[in-house]
Amino acid sequence: MINGVHMVIYTRDAEADRAFFRDVLGYPQVDAGHGWLIFKAPPAELAMHPAEGAPSHEVMLMCDDVEATVAELRKQDVEFTRPIRDERWGRVTSFRLPGGSELSLYEPLHPRAHDL
């Protein structure tokens, strides 16, 4: 039986992004060998959305208060690439990882599946 989800972020600078998740976000981790860190993720949800173009995947980190979380991360020099915007389903912004990719951060306004 399936018992979890393993997410992979492909990056130009894996070492810097690993340090970000370890030092800035404070995610617990295990070393799978040779410094290859695998992080414990917070509770997760999985949703399917229709695609107008090619199918793709997205990683979005959730929080209870997006404004407070943005303020906390800015103190650690995290670069936000989009202003907070209100959507029907939540309040969302994006930030850049050291390796160059972006992650979305959002405060859901819908019921959370991970609370089940």
Side-chain angles (χ1 to χ4, degrees):
M1 184 51 113
I2 295 170
N3 62 10
V5 174
H6 183 91
M7 295 175 279
V8 177
I9 297 174
Y10 291 95
T11 174
R12 291 187 189 108
D13 191 342
E15 196 62 37
D17 286 349
R18 289 179 192 133
F20 179 86
F21 274 82
R22 181 190 63 223
D23 302 335
V24 175
L25 298 182
Y27 282 18
Q29 75 279 330
V30 296
D31 188 329
H34 309 289
W36 195 275
L37 302 180
I38 298 179
F39 294 90
K40 178 182 178 185
E45 300 177 336
L46 180 63
M48 286 9 119
H49 290 250
E52 294 181 11
S56 63
H57 312 288
E58 182 176 10
V59 175
M60 300 178 81
L61 301 180
M62 294 188 297
C63 63
D64 292 326
D65 182 334
V66 72
E67 288 177 355
T69 303
V70 166
E72 171 105 5
L73 291 172
R74 279 195 171 131
K75 290 178 189 173
Q76 298 183 69
D77 297 322
V78 174
E79 175 192 355
F80 282 84
T81 57
R82 296 183 187 174
I84 297 170
R85 64 187 188 281
D86 294 321
E87 300 289 349
R88 177 180 43 82
W89 43 269
R91 304 189 71 218
V92 64
T93 185
S94 297
F95 64 91
R96 188 173 319 284
L97 291 175
S101 61
E102 288 186 24
L103 289 182
S104 294
L105 172 69
Y106 90 107
E107 175 186 338
L109 297 178
H110 57 77
R112 296 181 183 192
H114 70 68
D115 292 338
L116 298 175

